[in-house]
Each structure stands twice: as structure tokens, then as C-alpha cells.
């Protein structure tokens, strides 16, 4: 089971790119309750846009390199991948919303579920994660002026380790279209490149979410950068990405809800590990190989054993915690 599952997961993640938990939805933070009427109305519109990203979707992941900046660079072939995905609300406390993506893979009648990326949204955040290159992360303060009226989005990988983060306000137009677009931020190589190339180190991305009545899109304006050990940065190539989530009725979406019901306590413990890491350190290093054999593969596979009743939640998490301890170094 282990080899077949991890091979399938690797294939899906390389190509691409339930009910709520027991946290009470819609609870309001005291600071939000004191907002002026107009700010409170905008805050509620922001929440509606974020929560509108939950649901069942037919997805396309579309990435295309566009501008060969470095002399002699040849553009890679475009990568277009279809998928089926369920997005669930894991937590909603008013000024914090957690959305978990679950991929439905395999035959219609016998699907299996791959825990995919997660997005955490926090209103007027005090800190935000920042990728520094070479697997290093820092926790940085958000200036009060930048945080005012804005939301941070922090994206986490399939093993709940960080992927990228940024801060920006939402905008809403009269046609019911909502957009969130932050300044450029850095992120590690995506799995689609990390498994096949080693000619760059970081993606600098502008990350735009647009929510519409028919679904939502996740656009990326990417620059692939080479980062030298001395900090010098060289741009290799530019890329655009458009991930499209169209509302659809997935006939086998119950498999995603069943997976989450069986494994959510395990993943809550894994999230708790990273929450503590972010809260207790200012800089840390996360080591994994391109194929994920050192970290994300084993952490996912431990969750599968919980799903199939082969291990208890506690047993699986003990294994995951040991792996995380071995691959993560607190720098300061």
C-alpha cells in the first residue's frame, strides 16, 4: 500500500500544482466588533469572498513560461492539468478562516483522496511567514499600516509545512466579483519543477485570487530566480499560472469528506506542530528532497494508515513528529 500510494501522490502533485470541525463558525473577535460600520461591512464582504472558495470544483492548473530573461534560456513546455477538488472549511473564528483542499484522484467509482494545499486567512495579522530561499523561513512583523483592513493568506503544503504567504486587502465590485492581490513574495520551487530541474532556487510571485459567481481563479505572475549563497539574485525566466476552479457537482465527493472525518485529528496535531514552530521561533529551516521521501511522503502515508485503521492517531502522529524533528532546524 505504501509504495503504490506514494507513487500516486507524487504523480498527482508533480502534475499540478466534509463538514467543518468543532470550531464554532462565524465567531467574532473582540477587535472586529469595534470596527466602524463601513469597515465592518467591508470585513463581512471579505469573509464572504473567502468562504465562497469552499465547495466542489472541476479544476485546471495551467502554467506557461513566457519570457526567457537569461540569455540562451529555452522556455519549458506548458503544463496543463485537470483535477477534481473539494475545498472544506476546517476552522472559522470570524477573523481567521482555514480552508483545506482535497484532491479526488483515480476512477470515478473507486476514488482515493490526496490531501492537497491549505490556505489560512487572518484579518489584520501581526506577523507573516517569509521564504528566504535555500529552505529557510522567517517570521516577520507586519507594519500596522499594512495590516489595517487587510488579510494575510498563508498557504501550506500537503504535509502542512509552509509554502508562501502575503498580506493585502480585498476589493469588491458592483458585479459581485472579489479580488485579493498582494505584493510580490517568495516561495520554494513547485513540485512540478522541483522533481525535474535544479537551475533555479526561488519563485517570486504575485498571487491573485478572484472570486466570481461561477467559481474562482488563482492567478500567478511568477519570476524564477537563481539565488547565490552570497544573496545575489538573477532572474531566469517568467511564467504565468492560471488555476481555475469551476463550481461543479462531483458525484464522488463523499470520499473526500470521509477521508477528512477519519484523519482530521491526525492533521490537527501536525498543524499544531507547525503552529508552535511559527509562534516560538523567528527563523527555521525545513529539509526535504524533491520527491518528498524525507518529509511530505512519510507524513502523508502516516495519515493513510489512520484512514485504513492500521494505526491510531497517536501512533501516526508520533511517527510524524519524529520525522518533523529530524528535518526541521530552528535557527533562532
Amino acid at each position: 500500500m505504501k509504495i503504490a500510494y506514494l507513487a500516486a501522490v507524487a504523480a498527482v502533485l508533480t502534475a499540478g500544482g466534509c463538514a467543518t470541525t468543532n470550531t464554532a463558525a462565524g465567531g467574532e473577535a473582540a477587535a472586529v466588533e469595534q470596527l466602524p460600520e463601513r469597515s465592518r461591512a467591508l470585513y463581512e464582504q471579505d469573509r464572504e469572498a473567502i468562504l465562497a472558495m469552499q465547495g466542489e470544483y472541476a479544476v485546471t492548473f495551467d502554467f506557461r513560461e513566457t519570457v526567457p530573461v537569461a540569455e540562451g534560456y529555452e522556455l519549458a513546455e506548458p503544463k496543463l492539468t485537470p483535477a477534481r477538488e473539494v475545498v472544506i472549511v476546517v476552522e472559522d473564528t470570524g477573523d481567521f478562516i482555514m480552508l483545506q483542499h482535497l484532491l479526488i484522484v483515480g476512477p470515478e467509482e473507486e476514488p482515493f483522496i490526496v490531501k492537497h494545499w491549505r490556505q489560512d486567512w487572518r484579518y489584520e495579522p501581526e506577523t507573516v511567514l517569509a521564504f528566504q530561499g535555500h529552505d529557510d523561513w522567517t517570521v516577520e512583523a507586519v507594519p500596522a499600516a499594512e495590516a489595517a483592513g487587510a488579510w494575510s493568506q498563508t498557504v501550506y503544503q500537503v504535509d502542512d509545512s509552509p509554502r508562501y504567504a502575503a498580506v493585502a486587502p480585498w476589493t469588491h465590485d458592483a458585479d459581485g466579483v472579489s479580488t485579493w492581490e498582494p505584493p510580490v513574495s517568495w516561495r520554494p520551487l513547485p513540485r512540478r519543477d522541483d522533481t525535474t530541474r535544479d537551475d533555479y532556487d526561488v519563485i517570486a510571485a504575485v498571487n491573485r485570487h478572484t472570486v466570481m459567481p461561477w467559481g474562482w481563479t488563482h492567478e500567478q505572475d511568477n519570476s524564477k530566480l537563481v539565488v547565490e549563497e552570497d544573496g545575489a539574485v538573477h532572474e531566469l525566466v517568467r511564467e504565468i499560472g492560471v488555476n481555475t476552479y469551476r463550481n461543479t457537482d462531483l458525484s464522488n465527493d463523499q470520499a473526500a469528506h470521509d477521508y477528512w472525518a477519519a484523519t482530521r485529528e491526525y492533521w490537527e496535531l501536525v498543524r499544531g506542530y507547525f503552529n508552535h514552530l511559527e509562534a516560538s521561533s523567528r527563523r527555521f529551516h525545513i529539509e526535504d528532497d524533491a520527491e518528498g521521501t524525507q518529509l511530505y511522503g512519510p507524513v502523508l502515508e502516516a495519515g493513510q494508515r489512520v484512514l485504513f485503521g492500521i494505526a491510531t492517531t497517536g501512533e501516526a502522529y508520533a511517527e510524524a513528529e519524529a520525522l518533523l524533528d529530524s528535518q526541521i532546524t530552528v535557527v533562532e
Side-chain angles (χ1 to χ4, degrees), residues 21-100:
T21 62
N22 58 2
T23 301
E28 302 298 340
V32 172
E33 293 178 346
Q34 305 305 315
L35 288 172
E37 183 175 349
R38 174 171 169 74
S39 296
R40 182 58 181 266
L42 290 173
Y43 164 80
E44 294 296 347
Q45 279 188 292
D46 297 347
R47 279 181 40 80
E48 289 175 9
I50 295 167
L51 291 169
M53 286 188 280
Q54 68 180 302
E56 303 167 29
Y57 297 100
V59 187
T60 55
F61 303 105
D62 187 352
F63 291 91
R64 302 170 186 270
E65 292 187 347
T66 56
V67 179
V69 177
E71 183 176 1
Y73 181 85
E74 295 186 7
L75 297 178
E77 290 294 319
K79 295 184 179 180
L80 177 64
T81 308
R84 296 165 290 164
E85 193 151 283
V86 175
V87 183
I88 60 174
V89 178
V90 175
E91 186 174 341
D92 177 5
T93 59
D95 57 357
F96 176 79
I97 300 171
M98 181 187 298
L99 303 177
Q100 177 65 59

Side-chain angles (χ1 to χ4, degrees), residues 212-272:
M212 293 152 285
W214 54 264
W216 57 281
T217 58
H218 175 200
E219 300 169 77
Q220 300 174 46
D221 184 359
N222 297 332
S223 290
K224 298 181 178 181
L225 308 179
V226 177
V227 181
E228 307 288 357
E229 291 294 341
D230 63 2
V233 177
H234 311 283
E235 188 174 16
L236 185 67
V237 62
R238 295 174 187 169
E239 173 189 70
I240 58 171
V242 182
N243 300 334
T244 304
Y245 292 75
R246 292 190 175 275
N247 295 321
T248 191
D249 183 11
L250 298 176
S251 62
N252 53 5
D253 65 294
Q254 187 58 45
H257 300 301
D258 292 344
Y259 169 88
W260 192 251
T263 64
R264 66 180 180 85
E265 291 182 356
Y266 166 75
W267 289 114
E268 184 177 4
L269 291 171
V270 175
R271 290 197 308 273

Side-chain angles (χ1 to χ4, degrees), residues 285-302:
H285 177 89
I286 301 178
E287 188 73 32
D288 198 4
D289 60 356
E291 290 76 21
T293 61
Q294 296 176 345
L295 189 59
Y296 94 77
V299 172
L300 277 176
E301 199 272 331

